[in-house]
C-alpha cells in the first residue's frame, strides 16, 4: 500500500526502539496496531457505504427504467384498446346501416309481392256472375293464373317470377 520495503521497516523499528525505549515499545506497538485496525475498518465501512449508494443508485435507475417501460406498455395497450373500440364501433354502425337497408328492401319486396298477389288473385276470385266457375274443379285455376301472366309479363322480371310463384300458392288455397 505504501510501498515500504523490509529494510525501511527495520530502520523505522530501530529508530522507534531508540526513541521510545524498550519498555514502552510493546504498548506503543499495540496502540499503533489498534489505530491501524480502526483506520482499516473505517476505510472498509466507507467503501461499503459507497457501494451501497452505487447499488441504490443502480436500483433507482432500474426502477425508473421498469416504471417507464410499464408506462410505455400501458400506453401502447390503451392505444390498441381504443383502436379496437373504434373499429368495433365502425363495424357496428355499418351493420346497423346494412340492417336498416335490408329491412327497407325486405319491406319494399313484401309490398311488391303483395301488389303482385293482388293482381294475380283478383282475376281468380269468384264474382257473382262467375259463381259456377268457383264450383269448377281446381284444374281450371292454373289456366286462369296463366291467363293473368301475359299481363304480368309487361312488368319487370322479378314481378313475373313472383307472379309464377304466387299463382300456384293461390290455386292451392282454393277448396277442392
Amino acid at each position: 500500500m505504501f510501498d515500504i520495503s523490509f529494510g525501511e521497516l527495520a530502520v523505522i523499528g530501530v529508530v522507534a526502539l531508540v526513541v521510545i525505549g524498550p519498555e514502552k515499545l510493546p504498548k506503543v506497538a499495540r496502540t499503533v496496531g489498534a489505530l491501524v485496525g480502526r483506520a482499516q475498518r473505517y476505510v472498509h465501512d466507507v467503501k461499503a457505504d459507497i457501494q451501497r449508494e452505487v447499488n441504490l443508485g443502480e436500483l433507482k435507475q432500474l426502477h425508473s427504467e421498469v416504471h417507464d417501460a410499464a408506462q410505455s406498455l400501458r400506453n401502447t395497450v390503451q392505444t390498441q384498446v381504443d383502436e379496437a373500440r373504434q373499429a368495433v364501433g365502425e363495424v357496428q354502425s355499418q351493420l346497423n346501416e346494412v340492417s336498416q337497408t335490408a329491412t327497407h328492401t325486405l319491406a319494399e319486396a313484401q309490398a311488391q309481392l303483395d301488389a303482385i298477389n293482388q293482381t294475380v288473385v283478383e282475376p281468380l276470385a269468384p264474382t257473382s256472375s262467375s259463381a259456377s266457375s268457383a264450383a269448377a274443379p281446381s284444374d281450371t285455376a292454373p289456366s286462369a293464373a296463366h291467363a293473368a301472366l301475359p299481363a304480368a309479363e309487361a312488368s319487370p322480371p322479378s314481378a313475373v317470377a313472383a307472379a309464377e310463384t304466387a299463382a300456384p300458392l293461390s290455386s292451392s288455397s282454393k277448396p277442392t
Side-chain angles (χ1 to χ4, degrees), residues 24-102:
K24 293 185 180 179
L25 185 61
K27 187 177 181 185
V28 171
R30 268 191 304 243
T31 306
V32 169
L35 291 175
V36 169
R38 277 190 205 164
Q40 286 178 348
R41 282 191 297 276
Y42 179 74
V43 168
H44 177 70
D45 289 344
V46 169
K47 283 183 181 180
D49 287 344
I50 290 172
Q51 187 64 34
R52 273 188 245 130
E53 289 295 324
V54 167
N55 289 342
L56 184 62
E58 290 174 357
L59 286 175
K60 285 181 180 179
Q61 182 182 4
L62 181 63
H63 173 71
S64 67
E65 288 175 2
V66 168
H67 181 70
D68 292 344
Q71 188 67 27
S72 174
L73 179 65
R74 179 178 179 214
N75 291 339
T76 303
V77 168
Q78 186 65 35
T79 302
Q80 294 294 328
V81 167
D82 291 343
E83 289 174 2
R85 283 184 180 159
Q86 184 180 7
V88 166
E90 290 173 2
V91 168
Q92 188 176 14
S93 66
Q94 289 174 353
L95 285 175
N96 287 341
E97 291 174 9
V98 168
S99 173
Q100 289 174 354
T101 303

Side-chain angles (χ1 to χ4, degrees), residues 5-30:
S5 68
F6 182 72
E8 293 172 345
L9 283 177
V11 170
I12 292 173
V14 170
V15 171
L17 183 62
V18 171
V19 172
I20 296 174
E23 294 141 9
K24 293 185 180 179
L25 185 61
K27 187 177 181 185
V28 171
R30 268 191 304 243

